[in-house]
């Protein structure tokens, strides 16, 4: 774990972006396509902690981006080159564009200043989406990664962020996967090797400071 001073230096609100990954009604909401994951996200406190981080980001001038996974009703352009994608096509709840399933789930609040990045294919909210360009235009140096799942999308996001030169920070109590015992093992043996791990309270503590203007790169 980094010292408070080290974490505070990383989490400068002007150069930090908070990313929520697949925190949408059809994934972590009451009518989830993946009820075991939704239950874990809620019972573990991860979803509540994501909401706390988003609220803290809004209060302290940290940019928020919500990454949503969805598909067209006709399925055009959707990935089918892995068992995960083919299984998703058979789920009773579909993440269809324009439906409630792809809205950001409560208790997370979305403001006009937030970006919502939607992807129609693949596993990553960064690769093949507009997220990377947005992050660079926002002057992002540190990306705080939250949401689901610790099985696939979260490590994929962290790897993509690190490969693109961002410093990744993962609040360990603001991500969830299944089974519940998998998440801490994955954090300890994988994410901790490439990202800075912290807690929600530690991240929120670093967000709170006198506000400065975000500088947009020329």
């Amino acid at each position: 774990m980094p010292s408070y001073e080290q974490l505070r230096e990383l989490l400068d609100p002007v150069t930090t972006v908070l990313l929520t990954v697949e925190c949408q009604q059809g994934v972590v909401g009451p009518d989830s396509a993946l009820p075991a994951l939704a239950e874990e996200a809620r019972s573990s406190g991860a979803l509540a902690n994501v909401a706390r981080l988003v609220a803290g980001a809004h209060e302290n001038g940290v940019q928020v981006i919500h990454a949503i996974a969805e598909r067209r009703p006709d399925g055009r352009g959707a990935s089918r080159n892995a068992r995960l994608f083919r299984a998703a096509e058979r789920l009773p709840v579909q993440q269809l564009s324009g439906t409630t399933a792809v809205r950001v789930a409560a208790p997370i609040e979305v403001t006009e200043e937030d970006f919502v990045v939607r992807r129609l294919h693949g596993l990553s909210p960064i690769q093949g989406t507009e997220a990377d360009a947005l992050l660079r235009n926002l002057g992002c140096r540190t990306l705080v990664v939250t949401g689901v799942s610790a099985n696939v999308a979260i490590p994929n996001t962290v790897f993509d962020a690190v490969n693109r030169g961002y410093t990744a920070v993962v609040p360990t109590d603001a991500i969830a996967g299944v089974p519940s015992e998998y998440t801490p093992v994955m954090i300890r043996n994988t994410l901790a090797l490439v990202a800075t791990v912290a807690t929600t309270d530690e991240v929120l503590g670093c967000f709170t400071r006198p506000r400065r203007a975000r500088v947009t790169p020329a």
Side-chain angles (χ1 to χ4, degrees):
M1 298 286 283
S3 69
Y4 174 76
E5 290 75 19
Q6 291 171 323
L7 190 61
R8 185 175 173 84
E9 183 177 356
L10 283 178
L11 293 172
D12 182 342
V14 175
T15 56
T16 296
V17 172
L18 174 67
L19 178 69
T20 74
V21 179
E22 296 183 28
C23 292
Q24 57 203 70
Q25 291 187 32
V27 176
V28 296
D31 298 319
S32 170
L34 304 165
L37 178 60
E39 172 61 23
E40 178 62 21
R42 292 177 177 275
S43 64
S44 68
L47 186 61
N49 284 331
V50 174
R52 291 176 59 210
L53 286 162
V54 169
H58 290 156
E59 291 169 6
N60 292 284
V62 175
Q63 180 66 55
V64 178
I65 297 179
H66 305 281
I68 301 295
E70 61 182 49
R71 57 187 287 124
R72 288 167 46 122
D74 62 8
R76 289 174 65 85
S79 299
R80 294 185 176 86
N81 58 331
R83 188 174 69 176
L84 176 66
F85 302 130
R86 296 190 293 273
E89 293 178 348
R90 300 190 295 271
L91 293 174
V93 178
Q94 293 290 303
Q95 314 299 316
L96 299 181
S97 302
T99 67
T100 58
V102 296
R103 293 178 185 171
V104 176
I108 300 169
E109 294 188 2
V110 182
T111 69
E112 292 182 356
E113 290 77 21
D114 295 357
F115 289 98
V116 178
V117 174
R118 302 179 182 276
R119 77 176 193 272
L120 292 169
H121 60 86
L123 300 169
S124 173
I126 296 179
Q127 172 66 34
T129 74
E130 61 185 337
D132 185 38
L134 290 174
L135 293 171
R136 296 192 186 282
N137 290 346
L138 290 164
C140 176
R141 295 179 182 173
T142 301
L143 185 66
V144 181
V145 179
T146 68
V148 297
S149 73
N151 304 79
V152 177
I154 295 298
N156 200 329
T157 304
V158 170
F159 296 153
D160 283 350
V162 172
N163 284 333
R164 284 163 174 75
Y166 303 106
T167 296
V169 173
V170 179
T172 58
D173 53 355
I175 67 172
V178 289
S180 58
E181 59 269 22
Y182 173 76
T183 301
V185 173
M186 189 276 298
I187 292 169
R188 184 170 62 252
N189 293 286
T190 302
L191 294 189
L193 302 179
V194 294
T196 298
V197 296
T199 66
T200 293
D201 287 342
E202 288 169 339
V203 172
L204 287 172
C206 293
F207 280 174
T208 305
R209 62 182 84 187
R211 294 184 66 167
R212 296 185 289 122
R214 181 179 291 272
V215 178
T216 302

